[in-house]
Amino acid sequence: MNGLGNQIIVADLRGRAGRITPEAAIAINATPGTRFDQIMALHDPRIPGTAALVDIINSDGSRAQACGNGMRCVVQALSAQTGTTSFVFETVAGLLTGDEHPDGSITVDMGTPKLAWYEIPLAEEFADTRKIELQIGPIDAPVLHSPSVASMGNPHATFWVHTDVWGFALDRFGPMLENHPIFPERCNISIAQVLAPDRIVLRTWERGAGLTEACGTAACAVVVNGARTRRTARKATVTLPGGDLVIEWRGDDHVVLTGPAQTEWAGTLDPATGAWTRSEAA
């Protein structure tokens, strides 16, 4: 599947004891036809009332705590399978809800952002995470500097720029910043340009996956960071390389994400080895 162009594998492992190993994930991603940004592995629910426990796996085999685009794909896949349009899921980041609307768009409640330095987490104390001391480039003329940081179940750093986000070598800066010592659990790195209080352009280097067409949690984080730095409203359309998402940081402190998802093809896989057989086109 894809959520605005980023490649998502939804693997239904309910009823099975096995899990997708890091080695299997790396093997799947090494095959050109099955390269992915995240695997959303569905396991039997552990909490009454939830549809599944969702294990999120990056293309480098590491685990992610949250993935907004992937959760939209999960909602659409299960809606097509069951005819149900509202779901509750268990993730490492907590319980998430998702709803498919009559127009095909999908809204996922991504929960509440974490804004304290130790919650994100950062390796050292910052009293105000709206602007931390971090830069790329010369001290007197940095290329990127002073990001806003927040957690949407996973850590995000938003660098604000006044020019086209495509004018920055995110493929070069991204790996350096993702692994900067200030981020003990690594970090998703975004470059954001505010066009209007309700319109943001965003590019993201995704932790464990690299450059991506779309990152839902980064879109959530940029609206949270934009609102608390008074750059944006609490509801905005975020334009990513793959398309638009609508993000709202509601009055109850929850962040909701609305956008599309699309099935591309289906098949079967061996979670232990990553062996994959494609069997059905969408």
Side-chain angles (χ1 to χ4, degrees):
M1 303 184 71
N2 78 78
L4 289 183
N6 62 330
Q7 299 303 304
I8 303 293
I9 293 175
V10 178
D12 192 349
L13 300 180
R14 291 174 297 175
R16 298 177 56 115
R19 290 182 174 258
I20 297 174
T21 65
E23 294 77 16
I26 292 169
I28 294 169
N29 192 57
T31 303
T34 54
R35 285 182 182 149
F36 64 90
D37 292 301
Q38 276 81 33
I39 294 175
M40 312 295 288
L42 309 185
H43 297 281
D44 291 326
R46 301 183 301 185
I47 299 175
T50 60
L53 166 66
V54 184
D55 187 21
I56 307 171
I57 308 161
N58 294 317
S59 56
D60 67 355
S62 63
R63 255 59 183 183
Q65 294 100 324
C67 178
N69 286 319
M71 291 308 302
R72 293 201 318 279
C73 291
V74 170
V75 169
Q76 189 186 78
L78 293 190
S79 178
Q81 182 184 95
T82 66
T84 301
T85 57
S86 295
F87 302 91
V88 181
F89 302 100
E90 181 187 0
T91 72
V92 173
L95 296 182
L96 300 180
T97 63
D99 299 275
E100 185 173 34
H101 305 297
D103 66 357
S105 66
I106 297 162
T107 295
V108 177
D109 183 340
M110 299 299 295
T112 60
K114 294 180 175 61
L115 307 176
W117 69 272
Y118 54 86
E119 295 177 312
I120 293 169
L122 302 177
E124 61 184 80
E125 181 176 353
F126 284 88
D128 187 351
T129 57
R130 291 175 296 180
K131 183 179 180 180
I132 70 167
E133 296 174 12
L134 179 64
Q135 68 179 40
I136 287 289
I139 293 177
D140 57 346
V143 178
L144 297 171
H145 65 91
S146 308
S148 304
V149 290
S151 172
M152 286 304 310
N154 51 1
H156 287 272
T158 305
F159 287 88
W160 304 103
V161 298
H162 298 291
T163 57
D164 187 357
V165 297
W166 292 96
F168 297 84
L170 188 54
D171 57 338
R172 183 159 58 92
F173 301 141
M176 299 165 55
L177 291 166
E178 174 193 350
N179 294 284
H180 192 282
I182 195 65
F183 303 119
E185 296 181 7
R186 299 187 293 164
C187 192
N188 297 278
I189 306 299
S190 294
I191 301 175
Q193 180 187 16
V194 177
L195 302 182
D198 63 349
R199 192 83 191 189
I200 308 167
V201 180
L202 186 71
R203 289 181 68 208
T204 298
W205 175 273
E206 197 161 358
R207 180 186 64 167
L211 286 176
T212 182
E213 289 293 297
C215 178
T217 54
C220 293
V222 77
V223 172
V224 169
N225 286 330
R228 66 194 188 109
T229 58
R230 300 184 183 278
R231 288 179 167 91
T232 72
R234 292 175 69 99
K235 183 176 182 180
T237 297
V238 181
T239 298
L240 306 113
D244 290 348
L245 293 173
V246 176
I247 309 296
E248 182 178 7
W249 188 13
R250 299 186 317 206
D252 63 359
D253 206 32
H254 282 236
V255 182
V256 293
L257 170 159
T258 301
Q262 181 180 22
T263 299
E264 296 184 4
W265 50 272
T268 58
L269 70 83
D270 183 337
T273 66
W276 183 272
T277 301
R278 180 168 169 164
S279 61
E280 176 188 340

